[in-house]
Amino acid sequence: MSGALPLCPLAVSSPCLQFEALHPEGICPGWSIVVKGETSSRSSMFEINLLCEPGDQIALHFNPRLSSSRIVCNSFLNSHWGQEEVNSTFPFKAKEPFQVEIYSDQDYFHVFINENKVLQYQHRQKNLSSITKLQILDDIDISSVEITKRASSLEHNIYVTP
Ligand code: GAL
């Protein structure tokens, strides 16, 4: 997995789509996604989605909603939303910079906000190698996205966008 950059940022085609990148070999497990940014207002919501094949289903939908101070996580598989996992630990504030890290191991996505663990989400899409796309949508000003493969004693960055 070292060497060439395996992620391809895609052209952004929809106004609410802020960032999209493809990793054909699968983003999970062992990968960590770090998004730094800022929300635009008190009514903001944004989404970080990890999409899986076939047909751009959603393995992880991470959706902080500032209007209700809740983080909603879910999956969209087999053409429907599953049961929401709602978290009321809510470290986001309007117009304040934040960092979200989503790290995947074999069993869970682990989500850290500003380096504090906030939630974990058990994989519903069990075929982790089918999770090949990252999308970030809606009210977020992104300052950077990093996708890093974590190894036990070794970390190397493979993709950074300013
Ligand atoms: C719906 C919303 C979707 C998604 C879903 C998660 O109400 O329209 O965008 O957030 O909840 O369960």
Side-chain angles (χ1 to χ4, degrees):
M1 200 52 63
S2 58
L5 304 179
L7 272 168
C8 319
L10 303 175
V12 170
S13 53
S14 146
C16 64
L17 181 61
Q18 310 290 358
F19 180 86
E20 188 171 57
L22 194 61
H23 182 274
E25 292 170 26
I27 289 173
C28 305
W31 291 90
S32 173
I33 294 164
V34 180
V35 177
K36 293 182 183 171
E38 200 171 304
T39 55
S40 44
S41 74
R42 279 165 52 83
S43 58
S44 301
M45 65 153 76
F46 69 93
E47 301 176 20
I48 301 175
N49 293 325
L50 290 175
L51 276 59
C52 54
E53 296 165 350
D56 277 356
Q57 302 181 84
I58 305 176
L60 174 66
H61 170 74
F62 172 81
N63 177 210
R65 302 178 182 180
L66 271 80
S67 55
S68 55
S69 298
R70 296 181 318 155
I71 299 171
V72 175
C73 292
N74 206 342
S75 300
F76 189 87
L77 301 171
N78 302 318
S79 306
H80 61 81
W81 288 108
Q83 172 123 23
E84 290 184 344
E85 295 183 24
V86 179
N87 200 295
S88 52
T89 303
F90 197 83
F92 298 101
K93 293 203 177 83
K95 300 190 176 196
E96 280 195 10
F98 60 80
Q99 170 181 301
V100 175
E101 177 178 7
I102 301 173
Y103 168 70
S104 173
D105 63 19
Q106 201 64 42
D107 302 309
Y108 294 93
F109 291 111
H110 302 266
V111 179
F112 301 80
I113 300 172
N114 301 331
E115 300 191 341
N116 296 312
K117 173 117 181 238
V118 170
L119 62 92
Q120 61 187 36
Y121 184 89
Q122 191 161 27
H123 291 307
R124 298 184 193 174
Q125 169 53 274
K126 304 289 185 196
N127 179 8
L128 302 180
S129 63
S130 75
I131 303 173
T132 54
K133 198 187 280 185
L134 166 67
Q135 283 188 338
I136 304 174
L137 295 93
D138 297 335
D139 309 319
I140 174 172
D141 295 324
I142 299 170
S143 49
S144 69
V145 179
E146 283 186 21
I147 303 179
T148 303
K149 180 147 195 182
R150 277 198 196 183
S152 48
S153 58
L154 180 70
E155 278 194 11
H156 49 272
N157 268 349
I158 58 145
Y159 181 78
V160 180
T161 184

